[in-house]
Amino acid sequence: MKITFSDDAPHFDGSSLKLAFVAYVDGEAVACAITAEALEDHFGANSAQEDELLRAFERGRARIRSVCEQALEHNDGASVELHSGVFRMDEE
């Protein structure tokens, strides 16, 4: 399974408080997201405001992509939503 990521900025979804981004699994676009809670808990976002979340995403982009890649491999390339607990497990 070949996994790559778009370099486009993630999209803020204010109704669900998450940032959506795209991964490509074997060339097919797969919707992925990270919650505001995860960005606050692990990447230094000071609030769930869009600008704070985007800055936190940029700070943590490499780790977010790494954890997302692991999740995509684990679930056969299906859509992924990264919650705070996924990053806590990654730290252990």
Side-chain angles (χ1 to χ4, degrees):
M1 177 180 308
K2 181 179 179 188
I3 300 170
T4 59
F5 294 90
S6 168
D7 286 327
D8 294 339
H11 169 75
F12 177 63
D13 180 347
S15 65
S16 60
L17 293 178
K18 59 186 166 188
L19 292 181
F21 57 99
V22 176
Y24 294 94
V25 178
D26 295 332
E28 296 292 321
V30 176
C32 299
I34 183 169
T35 64
E37 179 184 29
L39 290 164
E40 290 171 328
D41 290 350
H42 301 282
F43 301 101
N46 292 319
S47 73
Q49 296 293 320
E50 180 177 4
D51 59 336
E52 280 289 320
L53 298 178
L54 289 169
R55 280 194 292 275
F57 185 92
E58 287 306 315
R59 281 192 297 273
R61 183 182 290 266
R63 184 163 173 229
I64 292 165
R65 285 181 171 181
S66 175
V67 170
C68 186
E69 185 173 350
Q70 292 172 22
L72 288 164
E73 289 172 349
H74 182 73
N75 73 4
D76 294 322
S79 185
V80 169
E81 184 170 305
L82 303 172
H83 296 270
S84 189
V86 175
F87 293 95
R88 277 193 285 279
M89 291 176 12
D90 182 56
E91 292 170 349
E92 296 175 353

